[in-house]
Amino acid sequence: MHRILAFVLIFAPLAGNSQPTDDSPVKFAFYSSAWGGSSEDNLQSGLRLVIENQTDFPVHLRSIEFLSADETAESTLVNIDLTVPAGGFAEQEMPYINLIPINQCAVDTLDESWRLVEISNYTLNPSVRRLIIENTSAFRIYQCVSTVNTHWINGTTAKQHHNIEWVLYHFESTTN
Protein backbone atom coordinates (compact mmCIF):
# COMPACT_ATOMS: atom_id res chain seq x y z
CA MET A 1 0.00 0.00 0.00
CA HIS A 2 2.83 2.41 0.84
CA ARG A 3 4.47 1.70 -2.53
CA ILE A 4 1.24 2.54 -4.37
CA LEU A 5 0.81 5.75 -2.38
CA ALA A 6 4.42 6.73 -3.05
CA PHE A 7 3.96 6.03 -6.77
CA VAL A 8 0.81 8.19 -6.86
CA LEU A 9 2.47 11.05 -4.98
CA ILE A 10 5.53 10.98 -7.23
CA PHE A 11 3.74 10.77 -10.57
CA ALA A 12 0.48 12.63 -9.83
CA PRO A 13 1.96 16.05 -10.68
CA LEU A 14 2.84 14.71 -14.13
CA ALA A 15 -0.84 14.21 -14.91
CA GLY A 16 -1.77 17.86 -14.36
CA ASN A 17 -2.69 20.45 -17.00
CA SER A 18 0.76 22.00 -16.86
CA GLN A 19 2.35 19.05 -18.67
CA PRO A 20 2.80 19.31 -22.42
CA THR A 21 0.33 17.33 -24.49
CA ASP A 22 1.48 14.33 -26.49
CA ASP A 23 0.26 15.37 -29.89
CA SER A 24 -1.43 18.54 -31.07
CA PRO A 25 -3.68 18.41 -34.14
CA VAL A 26 -2.39 21.86 -35.13
CA LYS A 27 1.22 21.65 -36.32
CA PHE A 28 3.24 24.79 -36.91
CA ALA A 29 6.72 26.04 -37.70
CA PHE A 30 8.32 29.48 -37.50
CA TYR A 31 11.07 30.51 -39.93
CA SER A 32 13.11 33.67 -40.33
CA SER A 33 16.01 34.62 -42.56
CA ALA A 34 17.15 36.74 -39.62
CA TRP A 35 18.35 33.52 -37.99
CA GLY A 36 20.65 32.71 -40.90
CA GLY A 37 22.76 35.85 -40.88
CA SER A 38 24.58 38.20 -38.64
CA SER A 39 23.28 41.44 -40.11
CA GLU A 40 20.71 43.59 -38.35
CA ASP A 41 19.14 44.12 -41.79
CA ASN A 42 17.96 40.51 -41.70
CA LEU A 43 15.61 41.46 -38.88
CA GLN A 44 13.56 43.34 -41.45
CA SER A 45 12.65 40.01 -43.03
CA GLY A 46 10.22 39.19 -40.23
CA LEU A 47 8.81 35.79 -39.32
CA ARG A 48 7.06 33.27 -41.52
CA LEU A 49 4.61 30.87 -39.91
CA VAL A 50 3.43 27.67 -41.63
CA ILE A 51 0.48 25.82 -40.07
CA GLU A 52 -0.97 22.39 -40.77
CA ASN A 53 -4.45 21.52 -39.54
CA GLN A 54 -4.64 17.76 -39.03
CA THR A 55 -8.33 17.79 -38.03
CA ASP A 56 -11.45 17.26 -40.14
CA PHE A 57 -12.79 20.71 -39.21
CA PRO A 58 -11.43 24.24 -39.73
CA VAL A 59 -9.45 25.74 -36.87
CA HIS A 60 -8.75 29.35 -36.01
CA LEU A 61 -5.27 29.70 -34.52
CA ARG A 62 -5.50 32.67 -32.15
CA SER A 63 -2.04 32.79 -30.58
CA ILE A 64 1.06 30.94 -29.50
CA GLU A 65 2.57 32.03 -26.19
CA PHE A 66 6.19 31.07 -25.57
CA LEU A 67 6.35 30.38 -21.83
CA SER A 68 9.49 31.31 -19.96
CA ALA A 69 11.22 28.63 -17.92
CA ASP A 70 12.94 31.39 -15.98
CA GLU A 71 10.65 33.01 -13.41
CA THR A 72 12.36 36.37 -13.86
CA ALA A 73 11.72 36.50 -17.62
CA GLU A 74 8.40 37.27 -19.26
CA SER A 75 6.57 35.02 -21.69
CA THR A 76 6.35 36.09 -25.34
CA LEU A 77 2.91 36.17 -26.96
CA VAL A 78 2.66 35.79 -30.73
CA ASN A 79 -0.80 36.80 -31.99
CA ILE A 80 -1.79 34.82 -35.07
CA ASP A 81 -5.56 35.14 -35.80
CA LEU A 82 -5.55 32.87 -38.85
CA THR A 83 -8.10 30.29 -39.98
CA VAL A 84 -6.76 27.01 -41.38
CA PRO A 85 -9.08 24.78 -43.43
CA ALA A 86 -9.78 21.20 -42.38
CA GLY A 87 -6.85 18.99 -43.35
CA GLY A 88 -5.17 22.00 -44.91
CA PHE A 89 -2.27 24.39 -44.62
CA ALA A 90 -1.95 28.13 -44.11
CA GLU A 91 0.93 30.60 -44.02
CA GLN A 92 1.37 33.99 -42.46
CA GLU A 93 4.12 36.60 -42.71
CA MET A 94 4.51 38.81 -39.66
CA PRO A 95 6.93 41.35 -38.25
CA TYR A 96 10.00 39.92 -36.57
CA ILE A 97 9.52 38.82 -32.96
CA ASN A 98 12.65 37.68 -31.17
CA LEU A 99 11.81 34.20 -29.89
CA ILE A 100 15.39 33.35 -28.96
CA PRO A 101 15.88 35.04 -25.55
CA ILE A 102 12.93 33.17 -24.03
CA ASN A 103 15.01 29.97 -24.21
CA GLN A 104 18.45 29.94 -22.57
CA CYS A 105 19.42 26.76 -24.42
CA ALA A 106 18.81 28.58 -27.73
CA VAL A 107 20.88 31.57 -26.61
CA ASP A 108 23.76 29.32 -25.55
CA THR A 109 23.57 27.25 -28.75
CA LEU A 110 23.75 30.34 -30.97
CA ASP A 111 26.84 31.43 -29.03
CA GLU A 112 28.46 28.19 -30.22
CA SER A 113 28.01 29.07 -33.95
CA TRP A 114 24.98 26.93 -34.66
CA ARG A 115 22.36 28.28 -37.07
CA LEU A 116 18.69 28.32 -36.02
CA VAL A 117 16.63 26.77 -38.81
CA GLU A 118 13.10 26.67 -37.42
CA ILE A 119 10.98 26.54 -34.29
CA SER A 120 8.21 23.95 -34.50
CA ASN A 121 5.95 21.66 -32.49
CA TYR A 122 7.09 18.57 -34.36
CA THR A 123 10.36 16.68 -34.61
CA LEU A 124 12.52 17.67 -37.53
CA ASN A 125 14.92 15.44 -39.35
CA PRO A 126 16.90 16.02 -42.56
CA SER A 127 14.53 13.94 -44.70
CA VAL A 128 11.64 16.22 -43.72
CA ARG A 129 13.61 19.21 -44.99
CA ARG A 130 14.57 17.27 -48.13
CA LEU A 131 18.24 17.50 -47.27
CA ILE A 132 20.66 14.99 -48.69
CA ILE A 133 23.57 14.72 -46.30
CA GLU A 134 26.51 12.99 -47.90
CA ASN A 135 29.06 13.72 -45.20
CA THR A 136 27.36 13.09 -41.86
CA SER A 137 30.61 13.70 -39.97
CA ALA A 138 30.51 17.34 -41.15
CA PHE A 139 26.81 17.98 -40.47
CA ARG A 140 25.09 18.16 -37.09
CA ILE A 141 21.56 18.79 -35.87
CA TYR A 142 20.82 20.09 -32.39
CA GLN A 143 17.52 20.88 -30.67
CA CYS A 144 16.41 22.90 -27.65
CA VAL A 145 13.01 22.34 -26.03
CA SER A 146 10.64 25.06 -24.89
CA THR A 147 7.02 25.15 -23.74
CA VAL A 148 4.24 27.07 -25.44
CA ASN A 149 0.53 27.63 -24.86
CA THR A 150 -1.25 27.26 -28.20
CA HIS A 151 -4.72 28.83 -28.30
CA TRP A 152 -7.01 27.69 -31.12
CA ILE A 153 -10.73 27.47 -31.79
CA ASN A 154 -12.68 24.65 -33.44
CA GLY A 155 -14.29 26.35 -36.45
CA THR A 156 -17.33 24.04 -36.36
CA THR A 157 -18.20 24.00 -32.65
CA ALA A 158 -16.53 27.29 -31.58
CA LYS A 159 -14.94 25.37 -28.69
CA GLN A 160 -11.71 27.00 -27.49
CA HIS A 161 -8.59 24.93 -26.87
CA HIS A 162 -5.46 25.81 -24.92
CA ASN A 163 -2.71 23.27 -25.51
CA ILE A 164 0.37 23.40 -23.35
CA GLU A 165 2.90 21.70 -25.61
CA TRP A 166 6.54 21.52 -26.48
CA VAL A 167 8.28 23.26 -29.33
CA LEU A 168 11.74 22.46 -30.58
CA TYR A 169 14.32 25.00 -31.65
CA HIS A 170 16.03 23.21 -34.54
CA PHE A 171 19.69 24.07 -35.19
CA GLU A 172 22.08 22.96 -37.91
CA SER A 173 25.82 23.20 -38.14
CA THR A 174 28.42 22.20 -40.65
CA THR A 175 32.03 21.91 -39.65
CA ASN A 176 34.70 23.45 -41.83
Side-chain angles (χ1 to χ4, degrees):
M1 180 66 167
H2 290 292
R3 286 185 183 161
I4 293 172
L5 182 58
F7 179 79
V8 169
L9 291 175
I10 290 171
F11 290 104
L14 298 178
N17 289 337
S18 64
Q19 291 299 308
T21 58
D22 289 334
D23 198 25
S24 172
V26 180
K27 301 294 183 194
F28 60 85
F30 287 95
Y31 304 92
S32 179
S33 61
W35 300 333
S38 58
S39 170
E40 287 295 318
D41 292 336
N42 283 342
L43 296 181
Q44 300 302 320
S45 64
L47 283 177
R48 179 173 160 242
L49 174 64
V50 178
I51 308 161
E52 178 186 9
N53 177 3
Q54 297 181 334
T55 70
D56 58 357
F57 50 84
V59 298
H60 184 80
L61 183 58
R62 299 281 314 260
S63 63
I64 300 169
E65 182 181 12
F66 285 74
L67 305 175
S68 174
D70 181 2
E71 294 177 10
T72 61
E74 292 186 27
S75 298
T76 301
L77 181 66
V78 180
N79 288 309
I80 310 296
D81 286 324
L82 183 65
T83 300
V84 187
F89 291 86
E91 291 184 45
Q92 183 173 22
E93 299 283 335
M94 60 187 69
Y96 185 77
I97 300 169
N98 194 354
L99 301 173
I100 297 168
I102 197 80
N103 185 295
Q104 189 59 46
C105 174
V107 171
D108 295 343
T109 303
L110 287 173
D111 286 345
E112 296 175 13
S113 342
W114 289 83
R115 183 175 70 89
L116 181 59
V117 177
E118 76 175 43
I119 302 170
S120 66
N121 67 342
Y122 56 84
T123 303
L124 179 68
N125 62 51
S127 65
V128 171
R129 299 203 47 242
R130 293 175 178 78
L131 294 176
I132 297 172
I133 303 169
E134 294 178 6
N135 184 354
T136 57
S137 65
F139 183 84
R140 297 284 180 255
I141 296 174
Y142 187 76
Q143 298 173 332
C144 293
V145 178
S146 196
T147 305
V148 296
N149 181 3
T150 306
H151 179 199
W152 58 276
I153 301 171
N154 180 321
T156 303
T157 65
K159 182 177 178 185
Q160 295 194 31
H161 299 268
H162 289 274
N163 290 67
I164 302 294
E165 58 187 317
W166 289 332
V167 292
L168 298 170
Y169 286 67
H170 303 278
F171 297 89
E172 293 177 356
S173 175
T174 55
T175 58
N176 296 329

